[in-house]
Structures are given as structure tokens and as C-alpha cells.
């Protein structure tokens, strides 16, 4: 590919290709299948920074041993409604569906089920794991932290303490589920890197420079000393984002007992809190869906600020993108496609023709 | 009191006085005791809008029957780790400590314990219920919604859908616990009313007018059509606040099956999600505290933007205010004291001398 035209290609072909690449890098068959599936699932939903853009990273991790190519997950402790797992550097793309499954089984007995997973390599987009629960009529909440990464400042600081903290929920309705997946900082590191690559400023001041100023200048993220991400709420309300980041890190790193106390700098595996709630423990599932659907309908019925932009419910954008890409193929930028072609050359596994 | 000087008075004297007033309004002894205690607890921690400022409201509710003066809480459904309660209009100030207690008992067996309470009258400040769990070495999370109230706009709208949604967490450390209690909107209705009373603008644009403009003008909240509260994240990132409000309302109104689907306008009782996590289900409690303490110490060690304002951990401000007020007496403004004097005149129960 030398031109700049985007590529359209079937999700199934890309899944198969990615799986073969991951297998060649050493991943056991079941592992490679889950990794490929969940990376492509992120592309399908429009979470581009967590899709095949990260295939190279996953291949590298398998090859240098920072992601295990096979093996078992260890259950370190359990009670009726909770389990602590050590993924022992297996990919989160493979471990997370198992954690959701185990949480659902506990929720059926206890009303809620929680799995805290430590040392899961590259969990990618939390959004892709939510429907596994909502399709079974369950609510799910996920939080993810990275013990070895510190890029988000607490409120009032110009140096970082928190890791990026994605937060996600899913809930069933009578129609498509409510799906929500965001970072608890003002922006994510991936978006800053994208802005740098595209030589664009950020759309709003989400970085705090070493001088203590909020800035839209993405290049400050590469300066020395570097700028840091502001917590959600920003200059006025960043104490709210700080508390939400603490919620994430206490419930993940704290409960898993693997975090900053150990001072294991450089450990970039993820720690994840997965909790499933079974609404049928509280009453009739259909009654829950009535309430959830009333929220969807009510939000749609609010008055938009801009008549051209109807008010949306979280998840609707992702469903729309997925529906379109399932019909027309996933759209990859020419730049990403060139990266994938390099992988194809290195592995000798030919990319599918578009 | 005719001058404008603030009053300093012992917490215990105010508790006793408020209890007597509540008993005279019909509240059973145990109920009046808990209500007085938790209103004064909010004053002690500096949550002024949820302290004795709301005594008048609570007395009115008891007198007009919108808050029950005695009776039992009904357990509507349960599994090993969850319970759904109907408070049947008993005060949340009385019901919440019982919900935290029940959640802790389930957490000891199952690892987590959850109580969803519907129809609790005036829960007030979530912050005052957190230490009951942290003192037992447990983590606690609370969310509260109000089915009959709609004042927060979803992102992109200029009309309201969500109720005010306070969100709180508590976690033990080796020192004082981490306590966090905020609204998931940019500001709370009580703060807007305070700004109106003081004829001040809001410190940042947290309201959306009927024209769709973000404004600091608090008086627009009383206009017709009225302005609405913006979700956390505001003009750029309000989709994050919208998702967080949905988290609160799905997990409270949705699970309790009492919400907008019923169209019960005017029901201003609260629905609350209380979840306790027992860290000893995951490993040693002391190991959890090591991690939590490392977070506290690490946040303190970040570089402040303003050298005069050290970076704080959530809860520290409240502890400092409480410590000071326990020693020197609670500080009440002259304006609030005059309101309390009116109650004293009406009830014939004399205010303690300051």
C-alpha cells in the first residue's frame, strides 16, 4: 500500500490472520484465538487504539516472554462471591472472558460475583468483555489499573501518581445493552500519542506541564520533564477524578496486593476488578429491563443543545460502528495497514486481500 | 441571636437537642437518636448542606407522614451476598447504618456484601456512613439516587434526566481511612441554592440554561424554564459524567425496580446501593493496608502545582474540620443558628447555650 486510501476488510479474515501471527509468535491455539478475537472486537467497536494497532505489541510481548504463551491461571484465594486470580502474564485478552464467566457463576448463587485478576498482560478495551454478561441478563462493572505505570496527576499536583484507569459498565435493556468504557483521566495516553503523531493540539487542556499549567500541547508529553494527564474534572473539579482513580486503584491494586507498595517499577501487566450483578437476585429480570429501558428512552427524549446532535446513550456509537463494519468490513487507515503489512512480511503470513 | 457572629457549640449538646426535637415530631427513640447523630456527624465533617441545616426538613417530613416515625425495614429479596430492602419511608439516617452492618455480615461470609435500599427518606451525607466499614477493615462503596427528582442533564442535552447522584467510597489504611463523597454532576443543587442565597455566581460554569449555554449564573436555576446541572466532565467530557450517572441509577433504581418506569413523580425518597468488600477474602488485611497507605504516601509526595497547597488525599479535609470542631465545638453560621432558634421556639425545646 503506498496510497493513503483506507482499507475495508472482513472482520473474520482479520481475526484468522491475527490468530496465525500470534500462534507463530508462540501463543497456544486457544490463547491466540481469544487474543485475535478481542483485538478485532475492539476495532469493530471503533476502539482503534486497542485493536490490531496493538498486535505488534502483543507479538513482541509473546516473543520476549513478558506475555506467557500458555499455561494456567492460578486462583490465589476465594470466598463464595469473590476470587483473586494471578494471570501470571497470560494475555488479558484471553483471561478476561474467563473472569467474566467465573463472576457470572458466583453471581447466580450469591447475587454478585467478583474476580480480581492481577498480572494480566494487555487487557486492551474493557468494552469488548461487557456483552458476555449483558447477554445473560447481568450487569457488569470493570476497572483496570497498571501497577508499573504512572501518568495521571492527583488533583493539585503537577507530577503523576495514578496509572491510566479505564472504567466500564454494561447493563441489559429490552434492546441493545448500555455499554460504557472511559478513562478516569481527562484524556488517555493513547489519544495524546495520536495527537503528537498527527501534529495536532488536544481538543481541550488535558495535560499539566512541569510548570503546573494546563495545556492542549500534546508534545509536552514528550518533553523532559514531561507533562502528565489531568484527572477527570480538570482544573476545577479534579478532586472528583482523583477520588474515582483511587476507587479504581484501591479496588484493583489494593485488593490484589500487588501495587506501589512493592515498588516494582516497570511491571506493565494489568490488574482488573470484574464484578457481575445478577438483577434476578433482587427481583424479576424483566422489571430491571423495564427500568433500564426507561432510562434509555428518557435520555433520548431530553432536549438536545444542538438539534443536529441527538442525545446519545453510552454504547450507541460503538454499536453503530460495529454494525456498519460487520456489513462493509472493518476500516483500517493506510498508515495502520502499512504496519500490518510489515508484520505480514516478518511472519510470512500473508495479509488477506481487501 | 441578632449579630452576625458564628456560634461554637459542643456536638453532644446539639445531638441531644436535635434528638429531642425529632422525638417531639413523633420519631421513635432509636430513630430520633440515629437521625440526630448522623445530621450532626455531617456538620462535624463540614458537609454543612447535609447537617442540621436539614433538621427543619426532617421534622416536616415526620409531621406530614412523608418520613415514617417508626416501624420495620422490609427485606424484599436476598441471596448469600445481596439483599433488597424497602425502608418504607423510614429515614435513611437510621436505615443506612443498618444497611452497612448487614453488608459487612455478608462480606465476612462471601467476600462482598451488597444491600440495595429503596424508599429511604433523606439519606443526607453518604460520608458519615463510611467509617463504620473502614473501622472493621472493610472497603465500602455507596451510590444514591432519587427516583422523583430530575435535575442533571445527560451530555448534549439542555433538559434534565438524572437525579443528583452522590457517590462515596471508604477504605482503611494504616492511618486515617480514605473517605470520598462527591456528586457525579459538576455541582450539587444545594451549592446552587447557596450561591443564590449569597447572591454569588458559581465558581465555574456548572449549569446549562434553557438556551443550551453553560453558565455560572446560579439564578438561572430559578428561571422558567430553569437551568439544569451539567454532568461531571462538562462541555467537553460530559459523556463521562453521563455514564457515571447511569452507573449510579442502573445500580440503584434499576436493581430496586423503583424508578422512572413507574412515573411516580414527586417521590423524593432515596434509593441507595451499599456494597462492602472484605479485603481479607483476597489476602491479608495488613497487606491491603500496605497498598492503601502507599497510595496515601505517594499522593502526598507528588509535586504540588501551588507550593502553598499541599496535595491532599480525599477525606483529609473532613477529618481536620471534625478534629477541630470536636475540640472547639461545631461552628454554626448566625443565619443557620437563627433557623435553629425558630425550631426551638416552635418546639419549646430550648437550644443549648453556646
Amino acid at each position: 500500500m503506498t496510497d493513503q486510501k483506507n482499507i475495508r476488510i472482513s472482520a473474520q479474515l482479520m481475526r484468522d490472520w491475527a490468530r496465525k501471527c500470534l500462534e507463530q509468535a508462540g501463543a497456544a491455539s486457544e490463547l491466540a484465538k481469544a487474543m485475535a478475537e478481542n483485538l478485532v472486537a475492539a476495532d469493530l467497536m471503533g476502539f482503534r487504539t486497542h485493536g490490531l494497532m496493538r498486535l505488534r505489541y502483543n507479538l513482541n510481548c509473546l516473543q520476549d516472554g513478558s506475555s506467557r504463551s500458555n499455561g494456567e491461571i492460578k486462583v490465589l484465594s476465594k470466598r463464595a462471591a469473590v476470587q483473586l486470580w494471578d494471570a501470571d502474564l497470560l494475555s488479558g485478552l484471553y483471561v478476561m472472558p474467563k473472569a467474566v464467566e467465573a463472576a457470572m457463576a458466583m453471581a447466580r448463587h450469591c447475587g454478585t460475583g467478583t474476580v480480581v485478576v492481577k498480572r494480566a498482560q494487555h487487557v486492551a478495551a474493557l468494552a469488548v468483555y461487557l456483552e458476555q454478561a449483558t447477554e445473560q441478563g447481568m450487569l457488569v462493572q470493570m476497572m483496570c489499573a497498571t501497577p508499573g505505570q504512572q501518568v495521571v496527576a492527583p488533583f493539585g499536583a503537577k507530577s503523576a501518581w495514578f496509572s491510566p484507569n479505564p472504567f466500564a459498565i454494561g447493563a441489559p435493556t429490552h434492546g441493545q445493552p448500555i455499554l460504557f468504557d472511559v478513562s478516569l483521566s481527562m484524556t488517555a495516553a493513547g489519544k495524546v500519542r495520536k495527537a503528537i503523531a498527527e501534529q495536532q493540539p488536544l481538543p481541550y487542556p488535558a495535560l499539566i506541564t512541569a510548570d503546573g499549567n494546563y495545556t492542549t500541547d500534546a508534545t509536552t508529553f514528550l518533553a523532559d520533564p514531561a507533562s502528565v494527564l489531568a484527572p477527570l474534572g480538570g482544573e476545577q473539579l479534579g478532586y472528583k477524578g482523583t477520588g474515582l482513580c483511587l476507587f479504581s486503584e484501591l479496588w484493583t491494586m489494593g485488593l490484589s496486593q500487588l501495587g506501589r507498595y512493592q515498588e516494582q517499577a516497570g511491571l506493565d501487566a494489568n490488574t482488573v476488578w470484574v464484578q457481575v450483578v445478577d438483577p434476578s437476585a433482587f427481583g424479576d429480570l424483566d422489571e430491571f429491563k423495564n427500568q433500564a429501558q426507561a432510562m434509555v428512552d428518557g435520555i433520548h427524549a431530553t432536549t438536545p443543545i444542538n438539534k443536529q446532535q441527538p442525545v446519545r446513550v453510552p454504547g450507541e456509537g460503538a454499536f453503530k460502528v460495529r454494525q456498519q463494519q460487520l456489513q462493509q468490513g472493518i476500516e483500517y487507515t493506510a498508515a495502520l495497514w502499512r504496519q500490518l503489512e510489515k508484520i505480514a512480511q516478518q511472519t510470512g503470513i500473508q495479509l488477506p486481500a481487501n
Side-chain angles (χ1 to χ4, degrees), chain A:
Chain A
M1 297 301 304
T2 50
D3 66 23
Q4 293 301 310
K5 274 181 69 178
N6 288 356
I7 306 298
R8 284 266 184 197
I9 191 137
S10 116
Q12 190 53 51
L13 291 176
M14 291 311 290
R15 256 183 230 119
D16 291 343
W17 176 75
R19 179 179 51 75
K20 285 177 195 159
C21 295
L22 288 157
E23 282 178 353
Q24 196 189 69
S29 164
E30 194 194 354
L31 188 69
K33 185 168 177 289
M35 292 174 76
E37 188 170 306
N38 288 318
L39 287 173
V40 173
D43 277 332
L44 272 171
M45 295 175 90
F47 290 88
R48 304 293 178 176
T49 52
H50 292 80
L52 287 185
M53 186 182 285
R54 301 300 294 275
L55 179 62
R56 173 80 274 160
Y57 172 76
N58 277 276
L59 293 170
N60 290 348
C61 287
L62 284 164
Q63 281 157 349
D64 70 16
S66 59
S67 182
R68 261 208 304 155
S69 53
N70 62 67
E72 298 293 313
I73 300 160
K74 293 173 197 152
V75 179
L76 298 181
S77 59
K78 55 159 74 180
R79 279 191 200 162
V82 307
Q83 296 184 14
L84 174 63
W85 290 7
D86 182 354
D88 199 7
L89 303 181
L90 284 169
S91 169
L93 294 153
Y94 166 74
V95 176
M96 281 308 114
K98 295 186 184 296
V100 174
E101 196 60 42
M104 287 200 290
M106 291 187 279
R108 282 189 195 99
H109 281 96
C110 298
T112 66
T114 302
V115 181
V116 175
V117 184
K118 65 179 170 185
R119 303 206 304 146
Q121 197 55 268
H122 197 226
V123 163
L126 298 183
V128 306
Y129 310 112
L130 304 173
E131 285 164 280
Q132 194 184 337
T134 60
E135 282 167 3
Q136 300 293 316
M138 300 221 184
L139 288 73
V140 57
Q141 184 219 348
M142 299 179 77
M143 298 189 283
C144 177
T146 310
Q149 203 181 355
Q150 295 184 284
V151 290
V152 182
F155 185 58
K158 57 185 184 180
S159 67
W161 173 259
F162 299 114
S163 79
N165 284 303
F167 174 99
I169 61 164
T173 70
H174 286 306
Q176 65 191 19
I178 295 165
L179 301 183
F180 174 65
D181 178 3
V182 297
S183 64
L184 296 175
S185 40
M186 283 189 78
T187 192
K191 290 188 183 174
V192 178
R193 287 191 206 99
K194 190 163 170 278
I196 295 168
E198 294 170 356
Q199 298 184 298
Q200 292 294 321
L202 297 173
Y204 41 84
L207 292 170
I208 303 167
T209 66
D211 296 330
N213 297 309
Y214 279 71
T215 183
T216 58
D217 181 357
T219 65
T220 60
F221 202 58
L222 302 179
D224 184 17
S227 60
V228 293
L229 305 177
L232 176 59
E235 203 156 356
Q236 301 288 354
L237 295 168
Y239 61 95
K240 298 194 182 194
T242 294
L244 291 167
C245 286
L246 269 169
F247 176 38
S248 172
E249 299 205 351
L250 287 161
W251 266 243
T252 55
M253 285 193 241
L255 289 173
S256 76
Q257 312 192 346
L258 177 67
R260 308 275 156 64
Y261 180 68
Q262 280 94 348
E263 298 185 24
Q264 295 196 7
L267 178 65
D268 72 345
N270 299 135
T271 309
V272 190
W273 158 275
V274 182
Q275 183 170 78
V276 167
V277 184
D278 183 356
S280 70
F282 296 84
D284 189 67
L285 170 59
D286 227 50
E287 287 292 323
F288 174 84
K289 288 184 176 175
N290 287 342
Q291 296 295 342
Q293 190 64 46
M295 293 182 203
V296 170
D297 296 343
I299 290 170
H300 283 157
T302 55
T303 314
I305 292 175
N306 178 344
K307 280 182 192 169
Q308 313 308 316
Q309 296 183 338
V311 180
R312 293 198 311 194
V313 172
E316 288 177 354
F319 283 120
K320 198 173 160 187
V321 170
R322 184 166 70 189
Q323 190 56 32
Q324 193 197 48
Q325 292 195 120
L326 282 172
Q327 285 168 1
Q328 301 170 16
I330 301 182
E331 187 168 11
Y332 289 104
T333 63
L336 176 55
W337 195 255
R338 282 193 296 275
Q339 286 180 35
L340 300 180
E341 281 185 326
K342 269 189 206 160
I343 294 173
Q345 284 162 17
Q346 288 159 2
T347 57
I349 301 167
Q350 209 180 337
L351 267 170
N354 72 303

